[in-house]
Amino acid sequence: MKSYSDSYLKAGVDINAGYRAVELIKPHTARTMPTGLTEIGGFGGAFPLDITGMSSPVLVSGTDGVGTKLKLAFTMDKHDTVGVDCVAMCVNDVVCCGAKPLFFLDYLALGKNVPERVEKIVTGVADGCVEAGCALIGGETAEMPGFYPQDEYDLAGFTVGVVDKSKLLDKDSVASGDAIVALRSSGVHSNGFSLVRKTFSLDSNPNVLSNYIDALGCTLGEALLKPTRIYVKPVLALCDAGLLKSAAHITGGGFYENIPRCLPRNISAKIDKSALEIPAIFELIAKTGDIPERDMFNTFNMGVGMCLIVAPENIEKALAILKDAGEDPYVIGSTFESSCGVEIC
């Protein structure tokens, strides 16, 4: 007998919509799967662990969500990119340890299961997994009427990566005089959106998202909804070359919170403000919200999605490898002996 509950449907949960959503997303998860893995729909996601060449493999995990950036997706009724954000926020953290992401699982909780919308969301998740080189091996879609409004949802996920213990990035290897290399962001990424929403009064004036801004070359909504960039492949390329000492994913907390996390206690970072190429979206946010520069650097990535620490004698080699991997990197500062954390001057 086919699964169906009229009583549950009257309570607001359509289990058949759940089954349809699973069928719709199967082609998207399939394109992320290594050969031989079973399709999603079972009770657990399986993944064959290949530790060939590793003497002491270490598993590295990371978890995160998209946050209030989702509010923009609801307003704009655009749901095919936030899944990339979800993956990026997890895999970019894991790769800061030098680990290669292996697989990803997502958690999608929504007020009403609309299978076609779920498919769009998971399309983004699959896109992110393909870009990160990891498999989307499962997840959970939970219909929760009365907890979430019908047109809203929350999206989170986690990833597990692996690295040989001898190749774990060690922040204690960072010394005074090392170079800080920036990998460019696509914009705001997926942090600071509570301040973004307040700055543009998005809750009371959502129509501002459709305004075309010359400096941005697109509408405000399009600029803000650009998905978080995924840095896995270029960072691993630098790791494979043995040139990367440490790395910081610039997320919530901006420069002041994240850069010190990749430095030893006695080493600080000096960022050359004149070297930074800050995208127009951040200038617009600062001007519109009258936000002090210190707060901008303590909230947003300011155009720098990842900071990489490289020995000064390896700068040219590192930049060449990153360019070959499709990046447009540039040096934004250096380290020095101090316990102040970060100086931006």
Side-chain angles (χ1 to χ4, degrees):
M1 180 181 294
K2 200 169 184 180
S3 176
Y4 177 76
S5 172
D6 188 56
S7 298
Y8 212 5
L9 181 61
K10 290 178 180 178
V13 178
D14 186 350
I15 57 176
N16 282 334
Y19 300 145
R20 172 162 167 72
V22 169
E23 290 304 312
L24 288 175
I25 66 178
K26 279 182 178 179
H28 302 290
T29 61
R31 60 192 170 96
T32 74
M33 293 283 195
T35 303
L37 283 191
T38 57
E39 64 181 21
I40 63 167
F43 288 99
F47 188 87
L49 183 60
D50 182 4
I51 56 173
T52 303
M54 296 186 186
S55 60
S56 183
V58 176
L59 295 178
V60 180
S61 59
T63 185
D64 210 334
V66 181
T68 61
K69 184 177 186 176
L70 291 174
K71 287 278 192 179
L72 278 70
F74 306 155
T75 301
M76 298 170 65
D77 194 24
K78 182 172 172 54
H79 311 281
D80 59 347
T81 61
V82 291
V84 177
D85 288 295
C86 190
V87 175
M89 295 304 294
C90 298
V91 298
N92 285 344
D93 280 355
V94 165
V95 81
C96 284
C97 297
K100 171 181 168 50
L102 298 172
F103 57 82
F104 186 86
L105 285 89
D106 61 358
Y107 176 76
L108 175 61
L110 28 72
K112 180 178 176 59
N113 191 332
V114 180
E116 292 75 17
R117 186 171 60 199
V118 171
E119 181 185 15
K120 290 179 181 178
I121 296 167
V122 177
T123 295
V125 176
D127 288 343
C129 286
V130 168
E131 189 173 350
C134 65
L136 177 56
I137 62 172
E140 171 68 8
T141 301
E143 190 171 16
M144 302 169 65
F147 195 89
Y148 293 99
Q150 284 201 358
D151 292 328
E152 296 191 4
Y153 55 85
D154 196 11
L155 178 63
F158 79 93
T159 190
V160 174
V162 67
V163 60
D164 200 348
K165 187 176 181 180
S166 64
K167 295 183 178 180
L168 271 168
L169 294 183
D170 179 10
K171 67 181 182 180
D172 288 332
S173 68
V174 177
S176 178
D178 284 338
I180 302 173
V181 177
L183 298 186
R184 301 172 191 269
S185 72
S186 58
V188 183
H189 280 184
S190 195
N191 299 102
F193 273 87
S194 293
L195 180 53
V196 167
R197 288 166 44 236
K198 178 180 182 296
T199 296
F200 295 106
S201 304
L202 296 184
D203 291 343
S204 60
N205 185 29
N207 290 336
V208 70
L209 290 171
S210 61
N211 290 350
Y212 185 89
I213 310 294
D214 288 337
L216 303 179
C218 61
T219 67
L220 177 62
E222 288 169 338
L224 292 173
L225 207 57
K226 285 181 180 178
T228 306
R229 292 198 59 224
I230 292 175
Y231 301 104
V232 170
K233 293 177 182 177
V235 172
L236 288 180
L238 212 55
C239 289
D240 291 342
L243 300 180
L244 184 58
K245 286 190 170 187
S246 192
H249 183 201
I250 311 302
T251 56
F255 282 50
Y256 289 105
E257 182 177 318
N258 290 291
I259 296 178
R261 295 168 66 185
C262 78
L263 303 174
R265 288 181 181 270
N266 64 321
I267 298 294
S268 296
K270 182 173 290 185
I271 304 298
D272 180 0
K273 191 166 58 176
S274 66
L276 288 171
E277 299 176 18
I278 301 174
I281 184 63
F282 297 107
E283 297 173 359
L284 179 63
I285 292 170
K287 182 178 180 180
T288 304
D290 193 23
I291 302 170
E293 182 180 79
R294 176 63 168 73
D295 289 355
M296 290 294 295
F297 278 98
N298 210 149
T299 307
F300 302 108
N301 66 62
M302 303 300 283
V304 178
M306 186 82 74
C307 283
L308 308 178
I309 312 298
V310 177
E313 65 270 19
N314 292 326
I315 293 175
E316 294 306 318
K317 289 180 182 177
L319 293 176
I321 288 171
L322 292 169
K323 288 176 182 177
D324 286 345
E327 295 294 325
D328 182 20
Y330 65 108
V331 177
I332 60 170
S334 60
T335 58
F336 68 104
E337 194 167 339
S338 169
S339 58
C340 70
V342 178
E343 285 187 4
I344 300 175
C345 53

